[in-house]
């Protein structure tokens, strides 16, 4: 018995590039500083040098628009700053906002009142 012939390179399927986690016009949440903001993915950007190398050496970047903000705030962000718009991530957004609000309240100086010794 003879072994079946090995498939030729021409018959092998072409290696597909890495799939994008976010599609153009997809609603998302984007980390800016310590908060998550509503955003929309405008477009994925090509990786430097054309085809991506094997492994995570070059991270995917996207152009994003922050919903409700002027276009001047649009920015290019790394994929690690983007979050899918899910119930879990919307709750995280609210939790982060509450933490920042609480920290802001805790750090406010009390207003100077009449009769206070402050500034004397």
């Amino acid at each position: 018995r003879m072994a079946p012939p090995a498939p030729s390179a021409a018959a092998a399927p072409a290696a597909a590039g890495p799939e994008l986690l976010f599609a153009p016009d997809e609603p998302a949440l984007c980390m800016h500083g310590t908060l998550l903001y509503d955003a929309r993915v405008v477009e994925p950007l090509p990786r430097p040098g054309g085809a991506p190398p094997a492994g995570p050496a070059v991270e995917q970047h996207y152009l994003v628009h922050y919903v409700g903000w002027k276009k001047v705030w649009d920015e290019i962000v790394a994929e690690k700053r983007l979050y899918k718009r899910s119930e879990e991530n919307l709750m995280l957004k609210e939790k982060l906002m509450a933490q920042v609000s609480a920290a802001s309240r805790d750090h406010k100086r009390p207003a100077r009142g009449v009769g206070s010794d402050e500034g004397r």
Side-chain angles (χ1 to χ4, degrees), residues 57-102:
V58 179
E59 189 173 6
Q60 179 66 50
H61 286 74
Y62 297 84
L63 174 62
V64 297
H65 171 74
Y66 293 100
V67 176
W69 293 81
K70 293 182 180 180
K71 209 172 181 181
V72 71
W73 289 99
D74 290 5
E75 68 176 334
I76 295 170
V77 301
E79 190 169 75
K80 66 184 172 190
R81 287 182 48 196
L82 288 172
Y83 292 73
K84 293 287 187 179
R85 192 170 172 83
S86 66
E87 284 300 317
E88 181 180 355
N89 289 335
L90 288 169
M91 288 175 26
L92 175 61
K93 175 188 172 191
E94 295 304 319
K95 179 181 174 183
L96 293 172
M97 180 63 81
Q99 288 174 349
V100 168
S101 293

Side-chain angles (χ1 to χ4, degrees), residues 93-117:
K93 175 188 172 191
E94 295 304 319
K95 179 181 174 183
L96 293 172
M97 180 63 81
Q99 288 174 349
V100 168
S101 293
S104 177
R105 265 191 317 273
D106 294 345
H107 286 79
K108 285 186 180 178
R109 292 176 42 176
R112 289 189 195 180
V114 178
S116 89
D117 289 338

